[in-house]
Amino acid sequence: MSDGHQHNGHEKVPGRQRRRFPGISSRAYEHPADRSALVALRKLSGFDTVFKALSGLLPERSLRLLFLSDSVRVSDRQFAHLNDMLRDACYILDLEKVPPMYVNQDPNPNAMCIGLDEPIIVVTTGLVELLDEEEMRAVIGHEVGHALSGHSVYRTILLFLTSLAVRVAWIPLGNVAIMAVVTALREWFRKSELSADRAGLLVGQDLQASMRGLMKIAGGNHLHEMNVDAFLEQADEYEAGGDLRDSVLKILNVLPRSHPFATVRAAELKKWEASRDHQRIMDGHYPRREEDKDASVRDSFRESAAGYATHVRSSKDPLMKLVSDIAGGAGDLGDRVRRGFGGFTSSAPRPPRSADGTGGTDDSEGPGGPGTPDDRPPRDGA
C-alpha cells in the first residue's frame, strides 16, 4: 500500500491509501498494439545503442535546457503537492528513479513525457489550474506510465520527425516519405496513450477521477454543467453514428492527432477497468519486469491481432461492421453495396431472403422482422 512511509529519503503524502505493484512490468497495462511493438523493439540487438547515437541528432539537450531555464522544476520547495504526487506515482508503479518534472506556463491543458536517455515530465499551468488533486494524480500516473514503458523515446523522435517534415516540405517526395513514418508513429502513439491512461488509473485507483479529468480536458472547468454518463454516451454515439462516409471522416480526423479523442479515451478506460485484466492486476497477479527479457514477440503480436479482431467484431462503427460482415460472409453484403453509402449505416442489416426468394421483409419492417433470425455475427459475451 501507498501509506506515507519513507521512500528514497522522501516522505509521500498520498490523499488515501492505494495498492502498490512491486516489480510490475509495463506489459501489464499496455494496449496490445503498443505492447507488441515495444516487445519487438526491445528484442532488437543494439536497439539502445542506436537510439543513444541518434540522440545526438535530436534536440533533446536543447529541450532540457529550455525547460530548466524557462519553466519551474517541481521539488520539495516548488509545487510541493505535485512533487508528492509524482513520488507517490513512482512508488506505486515501482519506478526506482523519479524523473524530473517541470511546470510550463501555457494556458492550454497538456502534459508530456519526453527524452531519450532520461525521461522528463512536463505539465502546463493550464492543466494544473484545471484539475483537482485526484484528477491530477491520474495525469501524473499517466506520464509515469509513459516513462516506465519507454514511450518518451518514441515521443521525442515523433517531435523531431514532425519538425523535420516541415523543413523538407520543398523537396519532391521528401515530405511524403517522412510523413508516412510520422503517420505510423502517431497510430502507435495513440495506442500508447490508451496504455498510459491505464497506468494513470492504476496510480490514482479512482475511475471517476480519471473520467472527470478527460471530461474537463474536453469541456473545460465547468464540472457542474457536465455529466460523466452523458459524456460516455457521446463516445457511443460517435462510434455507432452515421454511415460509411462518417467512418472515413473519422479516420481523416484522427490521422494528424497524437492522442485519441477524449470521449474515446474515456470509453476505452472504463471498458478496461471492468475487465478481468484490470482485476487481476489489482489482485496482485501481473507480469514482472524481471520477466520482460523472456517475453515472446510472436505471442505479443498474436495478442495484438486478437485485440484488433475483437475490436472489429464488437465495434458499432459502420466501416468496422462492413469488415466484420466481409469476414463473416454476411448474406446481405451485396444488397448493402447496391444501396450505396446509405446501406452502411449503424443500424442492423436487413435479414436475408430465403432460398426461394421469399420470406424477406420489406423496408417497413424493423430489422429481424417476425420469424426472421438476426444474421449479424455474434459479439463477445453474447
Side-chain angles (χ1 to χ4, degrees), residues 205-250:
Q205 298 174 27
D206 184 344
L207 178 64
Q208 291 302 310
S210 295
M211 295 290 105
R212 292 197 310 269
L214 290 168
M215 194 164 57
K216 283 184 176 180
I217 289 173
N221 194 16
H222 302 281
L223 197 59
H224 62 288
E225 297 285 355
M226 296 184 283
N227 179 276
V228 171
D229 292 334
F231 188 64
L232 291 171
E233 288 170 7
Q234 287 182 228
D236 191 59
E237 181 180 344
Y238 169 78
E239 181 184 9
D243 57 23
L244 201 58
R245 290 165 295 191
D246 296 291
S247 297
V248 174
L249 290 173
K250 292 176 192 176

mmCIF file of all heavy atoms in Angstrom, residues 205-250:
data_model
loop_
_atom_site.group_PDB
_atom_site.id
_atom_site.type_symbol
_atom_site.label_atom_id
_atom_site.label_comp_id
_atom_site.label_asym_id
_atom_site.label_seq_id
_atom_site.Cartn_x
_atom_site.Cartn_y
_atom_site.Cartn_z
ATOM 1 N N GLN A 205 -6.273 4.939 -8.898
ATOM 2 C CA GLN A 205 -7.228 3.954 -8.384
ATOM 3 C C GLN A 205 -8.579 4.596 -8.077
ATOM 4 O O GLN A 205 -9.225 4.290 -7.079
ATOM 5 C CB GLN A 205 -6.627 3.224 -7.172
ATOM 6 C CG GLN A 205 -5.360 2.458 -7.543
ATOM 7 C CD GLN A 205 -4.621 1.821 -6.396
ATOM 8 O OE1 GLN A 205 -5.219 1.498 -5.376
ATOM 9 N NE2 GLN A 205 -3.313 1.636 -6.562
ATOM 10 N N ASP A 206 -8.973 5.502 -8.982
ATOM 11 C CA ASP A 206 -10.245 6.213 -8.851
ATOM 12 C C ASP A 206 -10.765 6.470 -10.259
ATOM 13 O O ASP A 206 -10.377 7.446 -10.920
ATOM 14 C CB ASP A 206 -10.028 7.524 -8.097
ATOM 15 C CG ASP A 206 -11.326 8.277 -7.835
ATOM 16 O OD1 ASP A 206 -12.344 7.969 -8.478
ATOM 17 O OD2 ASP A 206 -11.319 9.191 -6.986
ATOM 18 N N LEU A 207 -11.630 5.577 -10.772
ATOM 19 C CA LEU A 207 -12.117 5.687 -12.140
ATOM 20 C C LEU A 207 -12.848 7.002 -12.375
ATOM 21 O O LEU A 207 -12.692 7.629 -13.422
ATOM 22 C CB LEU A 207 -13.041 4.508 -12.466
ATOM 23 C CG LEU A 207 -13.662 4.519 -13.865
ATOM 24 C CD1 LEU A 207 -12.590 4.410 -14.933
ATOM 25 C CD2 LEU A 207 -14.695 3.403 -14.014
ATOM 26 N N GLN A 208 -13.647 7.440 -11.399
ATOM 27 C CA GLN A 208 -14.401 8.671 -11.579
ATOM 28 C C GLN A 208 -13.481 9.877 -11.741
ATOM 29 O O GLN A 208 -13.767 10.788 -12.527
ATOM 30 C CB GLN A 208 -15.356 8.879 -10.403
ATOM 31 C CG GLN A 208 -16.507 7.883 -10.364
ATOM 32 C CD GLN A 208 -17.344 7.929 -11.631
ATOM 33 O OE1 GLN A 208 -17.775 8.992 -12.079
ATOM 34 N NE2 GLN A 208 -17.571 6.760 -12.228
ATOM 35 N N ALA A 209 -12.364 9.892 -11.020
ATOM 36 C CA ALA A 209 -11.403 10.996 -11.162
ATOM 37 C C ALA A 209 -10.795 10.995 -12.560
ATOM 38 O O ALA A 209 -10.626 12.052 -13.182
ATOM 39 C CB ALA A 209 -10.312 10.884 -10.105
ATOM 40 N N SER A 210 -10.467 9.805 -13.075
ATOM 41 C CA SER A 210 -9.926 9.712 -14.433
ATOM 42 C C SER A 210 -10.956 10.184 -15.450
ATOM 43 O O SER A 210 -10.619 10.896 -16.408
ATOM 44 C CB SER A 210 -9.508 8.271 -14.736
ATOM 45 O OG SER A 210 -8.434 7.853 -13.919
ATOM 46 N N MET A 211 -12.211 9.801 -15.249
ATOM 47 C CA MET A 211 -13.272 10.236 -16.156
ATOM 48 C C MET A 211 -13.445 11.752 -16.115
ATOM 49 O O MET A 211 -13.580 12.407 -17.151
ATOM 50 C CB MET A 211 -14.599 9.567 -15.772
ATOM 51 C CG MET A 211 -14.662 8.057 -15.926
ATOM 52 S SD MET A 211 -14.678 7.492 -17.638
ATOM 53 C CE MET A 211 -12.997 6.896 -17.768
ATOM 54 N N ARG A 212 -13.432 12.313 -14.913
ATOM 55 C CA ARG A 212 -13.599 13.761 -14.782
ATOM 56 C C ARG A 212 -12.467 14.508 -15.469
ATOM 57 O O ARG A 212 -12.681 15.533 -16.123
ATOM 58 C CB ARG A 212 -13.649 14.166 -13.307
ATOM 59 C CG ARG A 212 -14.878 13.701 -12.546
ATOM 60 C CD ARG A 212 -15.035 14.490 -11.248
ATOM 61 N NE ARG A 212 -13.818 14.528 -10.451
ATOM 62 C CZ ARG A 212 -13.498 13.639 -9.503
ATOM 63 N NH1 ARG A 212 -14.311 12.621 -9.248
ATOM 64 N NH2 ARG A 212 -12.389 13.769 -8.805
ATOM 65 N N GLY A 213 -11.246 13.990 -15.312
ATOM 66 C CA GLY A 213 -10.108 14.649 -15.931
ATOM 67 C C GLY A 213 -10.232 14.696 -17.447
ATOM 68 O O GLY A 213 -9.999 15.743 -18.070
ATOM 69 N N LEU A 214 -10.611 13.589 -18.051
ATOM 70 C CA LEU A 214 -10.790 13.563 -19.505
ATOM 71 C C LEU A 214 -11.939 14.470 -19.938
ATOM 72 O O LEU A 214 -11.867 15.134 -20.976
ATOM 73 C CB LEU A 214 -11.042 12.127 -19.960
ATOM 74 C CG LEU A 214 -9.840 11.180 -19.869
ATOM 75 C CD1 LEU A 214 -10.272 9.731 -20.073
ATOM 76 C CD2 LEU A 214 -8.772 11.572 -20.887
ATOM 77 N N MET A 215 -12.983 14.503 -19.125
ATOM 78 C CA MET A 215 -14.134 15.345 -19.439
ATOM 79 C C MET A 215 -13.757 16.827 -19.369
ATOM 80 O O MET A 215 -14.159 17.630 -20.220
ATOM 81 C CB MET A 215 -15.278 15.017 -18.467
ATOM 82 C CG MET A 215 -16.618 15.561 -18.863
ATOM 83 S SD MET A 215 -17.969 14.758 -17.953
ATOM 84 C CE MET A 215 -17.470 15.081 -16.258
ATOM 85 N N LYS A 216 -12.946 17.198 -18.378
ATOM 86 C CA LYS A 216 -12.506 18.589 -18.259
ATOM 87 C C LYS A 216 -11.580 18.981 -19.409
ATOM 88 O O LYS A 216 -11.619 20.118 -19.893
ATOM 89 C CB LYS A 216 -11.784 18.792 -16.924
ATOM 90 C CG LYS A 216 -12.707 18.906 -15.724
ATOM 91 C CD LYS A 216 -11.889 19.194 -14.476
ATOM 92 C CE LYS A 216 -12.763 19.423 -13.253
ATOM 93 N NZ LYS A 216 -11.950 19.714 -12.046
ATOM 94 N N ILE A 217 -10.730 18.051 -19.842
ATOM 95 C CA ILE A 217 -9.845 18.342 -20.968
ATOM 96 C C ILE A 217 -10.668 18.630 -22.220
ATOM 97 O O ILE A 217 -10.309 19.464 -23.048
ATOM 98 C CB ILE A 217 -8.880 17.160 -21.191
ATOM 99 C CG1 ILE A 217 -7.846 17.113 -20.052
ATOM 100 C CG2 ILE A 217 -8.170 17.271 -22.541
ATOM 101 C CD1 ILE A 217 -6.946 15.899 -20.080
ATOM 102 N N ALA A 218 -11.817 17.962 -22.324
ATOM 103 C CA ALA A 218 -12.688 18.174 -23.487
ATOM 104 C C ALA A 218 -13.549 19.421 -23.343
ATOM 105 O O ALA A 218 -13.761 20.158 -24.325
ATOM 106 C CB ALA A 218 -13.578 16.956 -23.695
ATOM 107 N N GLY A 219 -14.067 19.678 -22.126
ATOM 108 C CA GLY A 219 -15.069 20.725 -21.961
ATOM 109 C C GLY A 219 -14.728 21.839 -21.000
ATOM 110 O O GLY A 219 -15.559 22.727 -20.767
ATOM 111 N N GLY A 220 -13.527 21.824 -20.425
ATOM 112 C CA GLY A 220 -13.129 22.910 -19.540
ATOM 113 C C GLY A 220 -13.605 22.734 -18.109
ATOM 114 O O GLY A 220 -14.202 21.722 -17.737
ATOM 115 N N ASN A 221 -13.361 23.755 -17.309
ATOM 116 C CA ASN A 221 -13.620 23.685 -15.864
ATOM 117 C C ASN A 221 -15.058 24.091 -15.545
ATOM 118 O O ASN A 221 -15.318 25.066 -14.847
ATOM 119 C CB ASN A 221 -12.638 24.598 -15.123
ATOM 120 C CG ASN A 221 -12.629 24.323 -13.638
ATOM 121 O OD1 ASN A 221 -13.110 23.297 -13.181
ATOM 122 N ND2 ASN A 221 -12.071 25.247 -12.867
ATOM 123 N N HIS A 222 -15.990 23.318 -16.076
ATOM 124 C CA HIS A 222 -17.409 23.569 -15.813
ATOM 125 C C HIS A 222 -18.050 22.245 -15.395
ATOM 126 O O HIS A 222 -19.040 21.808 -15.984
ATOM 127 C CB HIS A 222 -18.103 24.136 -17.053
ATOM 128 C CG HIS A 222 -17.484 25.405 -17.556
ATOM 129 N ND1 HIS A 222 -17.730 26.625 -16.981
ATOM 130 C CD2 HIS A 222 -16.611 25.636 -18.562
ATOM 131 C CE1 HIS A 222 -17.049 27.565 -17.619
ATOM 132 N NE2 HIS A 222 -16.360 26.985 -18.589
ATOM 133 N N LEU A 223 -17.470 21.627 -14.383
ATOM 134 C CA LEU A 223 -17.874 20.286 -13.993
ATOM 135 C C LEU A 223 -19.346 20.236 -13.608
ATOM 136 O O LEU A 223 -20.031 19.238 -13.857
ATOM 137 C CB LEU A 223 -16.996 19.803 -12.826
ATOM 138 C CG LEU A 223 -16.999 18.303 -12.552
ATOM 139 C CD1 LEU A 223 -16.532 17.523 -13.775
ATOM 140 C CD2 LEU A 223 -16.110 17.980 -11.361
ATOM 141 N N HIS A 224 -19.859 21.321 -13.017
ATOM 142 C CA HIS A 224 -21.262 21.341 -12.600
ATOM 143 C C HIS A 224 -22.210 21.312 -13.796
ATOM 144 O O HIS A 224 -23.402 21.025 -13.647
ATOM 145 C CB HIS A 224 -21.538 22.585 -11.742
ATOM 146 C CG HIS A 224 -21.324 23.872 -12.462
ATOM 147 N ND1 HIS A 224 -20.071 24.344 -12.793
ATOM 148 C CD2 HIS A 224 -22.210 24.800 -12.937
ATOM 149 C CE1 HIS A 224 -20.186 25.497 -13.422
ATOM 150 N NE2 HIS A 224 -21.476 25.799 -13.529
ATOM 151 N N GLU A 225 -21.684 21.603 -14.985
ATOM 152 C CA GLU A 225 -22.500 21.599 -16.196
ATOM 153 C C GLU A 225 -22.371 20.291 -16.987
ATOM 154 O O GLU A 225 -23.020 20.127 -18.016
ATOM 155 C CB GLU A 225 -22.093 22.763 -17.110
ATOM 156 C CG GLU A 225 -22.310 24.135 -16.522
ATOM 157 C CD GLU A 225 -23.778 24.540 -16.524
ATOM 158 O OE1 GLU A 225 -24.599 23.774 -17.070
ATOM 159 O OE2 GLU A 225 -24.095 25.621 -15.989
ATOM 160 N N MET A 226 -21.513 19.368 -16.509
ATOM 161 C CA MET A 226 -21.230 18.157 -17.268
ATOM 162 C C MET A 226 -21.614 16.911 -16.479
ATOM 163 O O MET A 226 -21.790 16.964 -15.263
ATOM 164 C CB MET A 226 -19.746 18.107 -17.659
ATOM 165 C CG MET A 226 -19.335 19.235 -18.597
ATOM 166 S SD MET A 226 -17.616 19.144 -19.158
ATOM 167 C CE MET A 226 -16.727 19.730 -17.696
ATOM 168 N N ASN A 227 -21.734 15.798 -17.199
ATOM 169 C CA ASN A 227 -22.149 14.545 -16.592
ATOM 170 C C ASN A 227 -21.353 13.411 -17.237
ATOM 171 O O ASN A 227 -21.296 13.301 -18.464
ATOM 172 C CB ASN A 227 -23.657 14.340 -16.812
ATOM 173 C CG ASN A 227 -24.160 13.037 -16.235
ATOM 174 O OD1 ASN A 227 -24.064 11.986 -16.863
ATOM 175 N ND2 ASN A 227 -24.707 13.102 -15.024
ATOM 176 N N VAL A 228 -20.722 12.570 -16.404
ATOM 177 C CA VAL A 228 -19.861 11.505 -16.914
ATOM 178 C C VAL A 228 -20.640 10.536 -17.794
ATOM 179 O O VAL A 228 -20.181 10.137 -18.872
ATOM 180 C CB VAL A 228 -19.181 10.753 -15.756
ATOM 181 C CG1 VAL A 228 -18.470 9.501 -16.267
ATOM 182 C CG2 VAL A 228 -18.183 11.657 -15.039
ATOM 183 N N ASP A 229 -21.837 10.137 -17.357
ATOM 184 C CA ASP A 229 -22.632 9.184 -18.140
ATOM 185 C C ASP A 229 -22.991 9.760 -19.505
ATOM 186 O O ASP A 229 -22.931 9.066 -20.528
ATOM 187 C CB ASP A 229 -23.904 8.795 -17.385
ATOM 188 C CG ASP A 229 -23.613 7.969 -16.145
ATOM 189 O OD1 ASP A 229 -22.559 7.297 -16.126
ATOM 190 O OD2 ASP A 229 -24.420 7.996 -15.203
ATOM 191 N N ALA A 230 -23.371 11.033 -19.534
ATOM 192 C CA ALA A 230 -23.699 11.673 -20.811
ATOM 193 C C ALA A 230 -22.466 11.782 -21.701
ATOM 194 O O ALA A 230 -22.551 11.634 -22.923
ATOM 195 C CB ALA A 230 -24.291 13.060 -20.559
ATOM 196 N N PHE A 231 -21.308 12.020 -21.081
ATOM 197 C CA PHE A 231 -20.045 12.105 -21.823
ATOM 198 C C PHE A 231 -19.718 10.765 -22.476
ATOM 199 O O PHE A 231 -19.310 10.714 -23.642
ATOM 200 C CB PHE A 231 -18.935 12.525 -20.864
ATOM 201 C CG PHE A 231 -17.630 12.845 -21.521
ATOM 202 C CD1 PHE A 231 -17.515 13.912 -22.403
ATOM 203 C CD2 PHE A 231 -16.495 12.093 -21.246
ATOM 204 C CE1 PHE A 231 -16.300 14.214 -23.002
ATOM 205 C CE2 PHE A 231 -15.281 12.387 -21.840
ATOM 206 C CZ PHE A 231 -15.176 13.453 -22.719
ATOM 207 N N LEU A 232 -19.942 9.677 -21.737
ATOM 208 C CA LEU A 232 -19.696 8.345 -22.285
ATOM 209 C C LEU A 232 -20.702 8.009 -23.378
ATOM 210 O O LEU A 232 -20.373 7.287 -24.332
ATOM 211 C CB LEU A 232 -19.744 7.297 -21.176
ATOM 212 C CG LEU A 232 -18.599 7.358 -20.164
ATOM 213 C CD1 LEU A 232 -18.864 6.434 -18.985
ATOM 214 C CD2 LEU A 232 -17.269 6.992 -20.825
ATOM 215 N N GLU A 233 -21.919 8.534 -23.259
ATOM 216 C CA GLU A 233 -22.913 8.319 -24.320
ATOM 217 C C GLU A 233 -22.463 8.985 -25.618
ATOM 218 O O GLU A 233 -22.759 8.494 -26.713
ATOM 219 C CB GLU A 233 -24.273 8.864 -23.884
ATOM 220 C CG GLU A 233 -24.957 8.024 -22.819
ATOM 221 C CD GLU A 233 -26.176 8.714 -22.232
ATOM 222 O OE1 GLU A 233 -26.565 9.786 -22.761
ATOM 223 O OE2 GLU A 233 -26.740 8.194 -21.250
ATOM 224 N N GLN A 234 -21.736 10.097 -25.499
ATOM 225 C CA GLN A 234 -21.184 10.734 -26.696
ATOM 226 C C GLN A 234 -20.230 9.793 -27.423
ATOM 227 O O GLN A 234 -20.218 9.731 -28.659
ATOM 228 C CB GLN A 234 -20.428 12.013 -26.313
ATOM 229 C CG GLN A 234 -21.283 13.184 -25.915
ATOM 230 C CD GLN A 234 -20.436 14.403 -25.614
ATOM 231 O OE1 GLN A 234 -20.613 15.054 -24.589
ATOM 232 N NE2 GLN A 234 -19.502 14.737 -26.486
ATOM 233 N N ALA A 235 -19.418 9.086 -26.641
ATOM 234 C CA ALA A 235 -18.464 8.148 -27.240
ATOM 235 C C ALA A 235 -19.197 7.056 -27.999
ATOM 236 O O ALA A 235 -18.795 6.670 -29.103
ATOM 237 C CB ALA A 235 -17.572 7.540 -26.155
ATOM 238 N N ASP A 236 -20.287 6.574 -27.417
ATOM 239 C CA ASP A 236 -21.071 5.520 -28.070
ATOM 240 C C ASP A 236 -21.721 6.049 -29.348
ATOM 241 O O ASP A 236 -21.741 5.375 -30.381
ATOM 242 C CB ASP A 236 -22.135 5.001 -27.102
ATOM 243 C CG ASP A 236 -22.803 3.736 -27.613
ATOM 244 O OD1 ASP A 236 -22.099 2.739 -27.839
ATOM 245 O OD2 ASP A 236 -24.035 3.753 -27.798
ATOM 246 N N GLU A 237 -22.231 7.283 -29.281
ATOM 247 C CA GLU A 237 -22.850 7.883 -30.464
ATOM 248 C C GLU A 237 -21.816 8.143 -31.551
ATOM 249 O O GLU A 237 -22.079 7.950 -32.742
ATOM 250 C CB GLU A 237 -23.540 9.192 -30.075
ATOM 251 C CG GLU A 237 -24.249 9.888 -31.223
ATOM 252 C CD GLU A 237 -24.928 11.183 -30.799
ATOM 253 O OE1 GLU A 237 -25.104 11.381 -29.574
ATOM 254 O OE2 GLU A 237 -25.260 11.984 -31.688
ATOM 255 N N TYR A 238 -20.612 8.567 -31.134
ATOM 256 C CA TYR A 238 -19.534 8.816 -32.093
ATOM 257 C C TYR A 238 -19.159 7.531 -32.828
ATOM 258 O O TYR A 238 -18.960 7.522 -34.052
ATOM 259 C CB TYR A 238 -18.312 9.377 -31.359
ATOM 260 C CG TYR A 238 -17.060 9.430 -32.204
ATOM 261 C CD1 TYR A 238 -16.872 10.446 -33.149
ATOM 262 C CD2 TYR A 238 -16.063 8.474 -32.060
ATOM 263 C CE1 TYR A 238 -15.726 10.496 -33.924
ATOM 264 C CE2 TYR A 238 -14.910 8.519 -32.838
ATOM 265 C CZ TYR A 238 -14.746 9.527 -33.760
ATOM 266 O OH TYR A 238 -13.601 9.564 -34.534
ATOM 267 N N GLU A 239 -19.069 6.430 -32.091
ATOM 268 C CA GLU A 239 -18.654 5.172 -32.711
ATOM 269 C C GLU A 239 -19.737 4.603 -33.621
ATOM 270 O O GLU A 239 -19.455 4.116 -34.713
ATOM 271 C CB GLU A 239 -18.309 4.133 -31.642
ATOM 272 C CG GLU A 239 -17.836 2.811 -32.237
ATOM 273 C CD GLU A 239 -17.586 1.751 -31.193
ATOM 274 O OE1 GLU A 239 -17.936 1.972 -30.015
ATOM 275 O OE2 GLU A 239 -17.062 0.693 -31.567
ATOM 276 N N ALA A 240 -20.993 4.679 -33.182
ATOM 277 C CA ALA A 240 -22.066 3.981 -33.892
ATOM 278 C C ALA A 240 -22.760 4.829 -34.942
ATOM 279 O O ALA A 240 -23.422 4.289 -35.830
ATOM 280 C CB ALA A 240 -23.104 3.476 -32.883
ATOM 281 N N GLY A 241 -22.637 6.138 -34.869
ATOM 282 C CA GLY A 241 -23.448 7.006 -35.708
ATOM 283 C C GLY A 241 -23.009 7.081 -37.152
ATOM 284 O O GLY A 241 -21.866 6.787 -37.508
ATOM 285 N N GLY A 242 -23.945 7.470 -38.018
ATOM 286 C CA GLY A 242 -23.636 7.762 -39.405
ATOM 287 C C GLY A 242 -23.518 6.543 -40.299
ATOM 288 O O GLY A 242 -23.934 5.440 -39.951
ATOM 289 N N ASP A 243 -22.914 6.757 -41.490
ATOM 290 C CA ASP A 243 -22.731 5.682 -42.446
ATOM 291 C C ASP A 243 -21.255 5.591 -42.805
ATOM 292 O O ASP A 243 -20.391 6.110 -42.086
ATOM 293 C CB ASP A 243 -23.606 5.898 -43.687
ATOM 294 C CG ASP A 243 -23.333 7.252 -44.358
ATOM 295 O OD1 ASP A 243 -22.232 7.801 -44.155
ATOM 296 O OD2 ASP A 243 -24.215 7.756 -45.065
ATOM 297 N N LEU A 244 -20.957 4.926 -43.917
ATOM 298 C CA LEU A 244 -19.569 4.686 -44.285
ATOM 299 C C LEU A 244 -18.803 5.984 -44.519
ATOM 300 O O LEU A 244 -17.601 6.057 -44.263
ATOM 301 C CB LEU A 244 -19.531 3.822 -45.554
ATOM 302 C CG LEU A 244 -18.236 3.049 -45.820
ATOM 303 C CD1 LEU A 244 -17.912 2.138 -44.656
ATOM 304 C CD2 LEU A 244 -18.341 2.259 -47.109
ATOM 305 N N ARG A 245 -19.487 7.019 -44.989
ATOM 306 C CA ARG A 245 -18.819 8.308 -45.181
ATOM 307 C C ARG A 245 -18.302 8.862 -43.861
ATOM 308 O O ARG A 245 -17.203 9.414 -43.798
ATOM 309 C CB ARG A 245 -19.787 9.299 -45.833
ATOM 310 C CG ARG A 245 -20.126 8.995 -47.278
ATOM 311 C CD ARG A 245 -21.324 9.774 -47.750
ATOM 312 N NE ARG A 245 -22.539 9.382 -47.041
ATOM 313 C CZ ARG A 245 -23.758 9.752 -47.400
ATOM 314 N NH1 ARG A 245 -23.930 10.532 -48.445
ATOM 315 N NH2 ARG A 245 -24.811 9.351 -46.715
ATOM 316 N N ASP A 246 -19.099 8.726 -42.809
ATOM 317 C CA ASP A 246 -18.666 9.208 -41.487
ATOM 318 C C ASP A 246 -17.477 8.407 -40.985
ATOM 319 O O ASP A 246 -16.591 8.948 -40.314
ATOM 320 C CB ASP A 246 -19.823 9.122 -40.503
ATOM 321 C CG ASP A 246 -20.975 10.028 -40.889
ATOM 322 O OD1 ASP A 246 -20.810 11.250 -40.799
ATOM 323 O OD2 ASP A 246 -22.024 9.501 -41.302
ATOM 324 N N SER A 247 -17.448 7.105 -41.278
ATOM 325 C CA SER A 247 -16.314 6.277 -40.868
ATOM 326 C C SER A 247 -15.024 6.781 -41.501
ATOM 327 O O SER A 247 -13.979 6.847 -40.847
ATOM 328 C CB SER A 247 -16.550 4.813 -41.261
ATOM 329 O OG SER A 247 -17.667 4.281 -40.599
ATOM 330 N N VAL A 248 -15.089 7.144 -42.781
ATOM 331 C CA VAL A 248 -13.911 7.669 -43.468
ATOM 332 C C VAL A 248 -13.498 9.006 -42.867
ATOM 333 O O VAL A 248 -12.308 9.278 -42.652
ATOM 334 C CB VAL A 248 -14.195 7.821 -44.982
ATOM 335 C CG1 VAL A 248 -13.022 8.506 -45.689
ATOM 336 C CG2 VAL A 248 -14.462 6.452 -45.608
ATOM 337 N N LEU A 249 -14.478 9.864 -42.556
ATOM 338 C CA LEU A 249 -14.171 11.161 -41.954
ATOM 339 C C LEU A 249 -13.529 10.998 -40.580
ATOM 340 O O LEU A 249 -12.650 11.777 -40.197
ATOM 341 C CB LEU A 249 -15.436 12.003 -41.854
ATOM 342 C CG LEU A 249 -16.013 12.508 -43.191
ATOM 343 C CD1 LEU A 249 -17.356 13.191 -42.967
ATOM 344 C CD2 LEU A 249 -15.033 13.464 -43.867
ATOM 345 N N LYS A 250 -13.963 9.996 -39.813
ATOM 346 C CA LYS A 250 -13.350 9.741 -38.505
ATOM 347 C C LYS A 250 -11.867 9.436 -38.660
ATOM 348 O O LYS A 250 -11.023 9.924 -37.893
ATOM 349 C CB LYS A 250 -14.045 8.571 -37.816
ATOM 350 C CG LYS A 250 -15.473 8.837 -37.377
ATOM 351 C CD LYS A 250 -16.075 7.562 -36.811
ATOM 352 C CE LYS A 250 -17.575 7.686 -36.619
ATOM 353 N NZ LYS A 250 -18.177 6.419 -36.153
#
